[in-house]
């Protein structure tokens, strides 16, 4: 209901010319909207996680909106430099993608190339070397595929015999138990993959077919290298998609991620994105010590010259956003109306990506 009222109010504001006024204001001129995307569906992933995946058609519509509205899509590093120098072009936008899934290579990059938009990919790297589906995500996806059923062979996986797949909650509980078990048993990547394959057999799902389609897999080193050569900017997102609260472990995540990226993409890395949008004030000096010059969150907002460079807001665009809501953030109206808190709540839905590989 609240969402419907907000949408209707935004339509009225757009009709009254308020979007245009904000878009062309001095206030907006000195601000940068950093867009955040995650996955672009290869099949039905957006029906499973609408806040994590988006159909290619919606991405294309978003890009057309940027083009029609005369927005200047600027590369992230350049945009941040110009933001602080007071030299941003009008209607500035930067585009970022988190994680670096195979779907970025297959679905998102062709659209970016078509529109000639520069992009930064915050690449997590552990699963780039281990070319199998990401364990907790693929388990969740397969259970969702069999939603509505109750299975009885749970004990084969160390679960209660009855596996109730009828609600999101009960499916999540199964994933939680599997992840916890794999951590307690200190399972290797291959052993977790075998566990996921076993789950697939119980669910009567062809796991190898999913693996062949590269559903929920990351880009390979060769794909990252290819896109880097074509101008994609690859930046830091930790090696194992986690932010330990211990300084040496935290910095090892950055170092491993950086070594991998600089070796494969061949370019320096100095921009960072907090996995799952989780940040903590104690991370800031550690990031500075690592020579990181910018870090983005999933808190909604437009960045200004006064924003802390290590706590930059972004607008997380998802399937759940209406077109008018998307436009309200492009113009700055969404930020001015303090929809920030509401919009930031979306980030809570992103926690599905593993913090541990
Ligand atoms: Zn991520």
């Amino acid at each position: 209901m609240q969402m419907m009222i907000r949408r209707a109010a935004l339509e009225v504001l757009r009709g009254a010319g308020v979007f245009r006024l904000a878009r062309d204001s001095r206030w907006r001129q000195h601000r940068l909207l950093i867009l955040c995307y995650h996955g672009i569906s290869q099949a039905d992933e957006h029906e499973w996680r609408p806040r994590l995946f988006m159909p290619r058609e919606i991405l294309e519509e978003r890009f057309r909106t940027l083009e029609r509205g005369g927005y200047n899509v600027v590369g992230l590093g350049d945009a941040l430099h110009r933001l602080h120098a007071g030299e941003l072009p009008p209607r500035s936008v930067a585009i970022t993608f988190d994680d670096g899934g195979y779907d970025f290579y297959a679905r998102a990059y062709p659209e970016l190339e078509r529109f000639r938009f520069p992009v930064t990919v915050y690449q997590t790297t552990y699963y780039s070397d281990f070319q199998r589906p990401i364990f907790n995500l693929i388990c969740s996806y397969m259970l969702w595929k069999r939603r509505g059923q109750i299975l009885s062979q749970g004990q084969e996986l160390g679960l209660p015999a009855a596996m109730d797949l009828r609600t999101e909650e009960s499916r999540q509980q199964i994933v939680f138990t599997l992840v916890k078990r794999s951590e307690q048993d200190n399972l290797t990547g291959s052993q977790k993959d075998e566990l996921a394959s076993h789950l697939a057999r119980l669910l009567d799902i062809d796991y190898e077919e999913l693996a062949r389609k590269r559903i929920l897999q990351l880009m390979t080193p060769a794909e990252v290298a290819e896109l880097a050569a074509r101008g994609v900017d690859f930046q830091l997102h930790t090696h194992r998609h986690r932010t330990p609260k211990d300084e040496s472990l935290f910095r090892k995540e950055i170092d491993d991620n950086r070594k991998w990226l600089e070796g494969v993409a061949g370019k320096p890395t100095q921009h960072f994105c907090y996995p799952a949008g989780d940040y903590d004030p104690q991370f800031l000096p550690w990031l500075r010590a690592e020579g990181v010059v910018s870090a983005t969150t999933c808190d909604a907002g437009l960045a200004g010259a006064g924003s802390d460079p290590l706590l930059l807001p972004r607008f997380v665009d998802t399937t759940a956003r209406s077109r008018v809501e998307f436009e309200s953030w492009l113009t700055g109206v969404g930020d001015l109306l303090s929809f920030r808190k509401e919009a930031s709540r979306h980030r809570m839905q992103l926690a599905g990506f593993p913090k541990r590989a």
Side-chain angles (χ1 to χ4, degrees), residues 271-287:
H271 302 284
F272 174 74
C273 166
Y274 300 96
D278 275 337
Y279 57 85
D280 192 297
Q282 67 179 325
F283 298 157
L284 274 53
W286 303 345
L287 287 170

Side-chain angles (χ1 to χ4, degrees), residues 38 52 97-100 122 124 237 241 273-277 314 350 353-354:
H38 286 83
L52 203 57
F97 274 75
D98 289 10
D99 307 327
Y122 292 116
T124 184
H237 198 42
H241 207 265
C273 166
Y274 300 96
R314 289 189 298 174
L350 302 175
F353 200 91

Side-chain angles (χ1 to χ4, degrees), residues 312-340:
L312 293 170
R314 289 189 298 174
F315 177 71
V316 180
D317 192 13
T318 74
T319 310
R321 309 282 197 186
S322 64
R323 194 162 147 188
V324 71
E325 191 184 359
F326 177 69
E327 268 192 79
S328 79
W329 281 92
L330 292 182
T331 59
V333 167
D335 188 294
L336 290 167
L337 288 181
S338 295
F339 286 163
R340 261 168 270 169

Side-chain angles (χ1 to χ4, degrees), residues 37 40 54-64 97 107-109 111-112 115 317:
Y37 292 93
I40 305 302
M54 175 182 275
R56 191 195 54 77
E57 294 74 18
I58 295 187
L59 185 72
E60 187 189 348
E61 188 201 286
R62 301 296 208 234
F63 286 179
R64 226 179 278 128
F97 274 75
R107 303 278 161 150
Y109 180 70
E111 291 301 326
L112 288 152
F115 284 84
D317 192 13

Side-chain angles (χ1 to χ4, degrees), residues 39-321:
I40 305 302
S41 299
Q42 298 196 74
D44 52 3
E45 299 96 307
H46 58 278
E47 290 173 33
W48 160 64
R49 289 277 173 91
R51 298 195 196 278
L52 203 57
F53 280 88
M54 175 182 275
R56 191 195 54 77
E57 294 74 18
I58 295 187
L59 185 72
E60 187 189 348
E61 188 201 286
R62 301 296 208 234
F63 286 179
R64 226 179 278 128
T65 304
L66 283 168
E67 198 176 56
R68 266 201 305 262
Y71 289 92
N72 284 298
V73 181
V74 186
L76 181 74
D78 189 24
L80 292 174
H81 178 76
R82 291 163 82 173
L83 172 68
H84 289 103
E87 292 167 0
L88 274 181
R91 308 176 195 174
S92 290
V93 173
I95 300 176
T96 65
F97 274 75
D98 289 10
D99 307 327
Y102 170 70
D103 58 275
F104 176 83
Y105 181 88
R107 303 278 161 150
Y109 180 70
E111 291 301 326
L112 288 152
E113 195 181 31
R114 195 151 67 89
F115 284 84
R116 299 178 185 214
F117 289 160
V119 66
T120 291
V121 175
Y122 292 116
Q123 182 80 39
T124 184
T125 37
Y126 173 85
Y127 268 97
S128 289
D129 285 331
F130 182 66
Q131 274 296 311
R132 297 296 290 172
I134 295 163
F135 177 65
N136 72 337
L137 292 183
I138 198 71
C139 290
S140 168
Y141 178 69
M142 293 192 299
L143 292 168
W144 171 82
K145 280 279 196 195
R146 292 291 177 264
R147 60 197 179 279
Q149 300 186 10
I150 303 176
L151 301 177
S152 57
Q153 311 99 306
Q155 70 270 41
E156 283 189 32
L157 298 171
L159 296 165
M163 290 166 69
D164 184 350
L165 311 183
R166 289 174 303 176
T167 67
E168 172 68 23
E169 229 180 4
S170 54
R171 292 191 299 269
Q172 262 180 11
Q173 187 55 47
I174 295 172
V175 176
F176 178 77
T177 309
L178 289 172
V179 169
K180 213 170 130 198
R181 210 196 99 188
S182 68
E183 280 170 5
Q184 276 165 354
D185 297 353
N186 225 349
L187 296 189
T188 63
S190 306
Q191 287 169 323
K192 283 195 278 188
D193 192 55
E194 179 45 45
L195 185 58
S197 167
H198 193 161
L199 175 67
R201 282 198 296 280
L202 294 187
L203 298 171
D204 194 23
I205 285 175
D206 186 343
Y207 188 64
E208 286 313 310
E209 174 70 10
L210 289 178
R212 252 193 315 279
K213 284 188 188 157
R214 299 187 53 198
I215 300 271
L216 300 171
Q217 290 189 32
L218 295 184
M219 283 186 267
T220 62
E223 285 156 355
V224 170
E226 181 195 330
L227 294 191
R230 293 165 83 172
V232 173
D233 173 40
F234 285 93
Q235 296 293 337
L236 305 163
H237 198 42
T238 74
H239 186 53
R240 288 168 174 265
H241 207 265
R242 63 179 173 191
T243 43
K245 305 271 187 205
D246 171 274
E247 180 175 357
S248 63
L249 291 177
F250 181 98
R251 291 182 64 175
K252 183 172 165 29
E253 280 299 331
I254 305 277
D255 289 342
D256 291 350
N257 193 210
R258 173 174 271 155
K259 242 177 255 152
W260 193 104
L261 282 173
E262 295 188 353
V264 170
K267 287 176 193 148
T269 50
Q270 50 181 5
H271 302 284
F272 174 74
C273 166
Y274 300 96
D278 275 337
Y279 57 85
D280 192 297
Q282 67 179 325
F283 298 157
L284 274 53
W286 303 345
L287 287 170
R288 271 182 221 114
E290 286 292 330
V292 169
V293 299
S294 88
T296 50
T297 67
C298 294
D299 293 348
L302 269 73
S307 304
D308 188 325
L310 296 183
L311 292 170
L312 293 170
R314 289 189 298 174
F315 177 71
V316 180
D317 192 13
T318 74
T319 310
R321 309 282 197 186

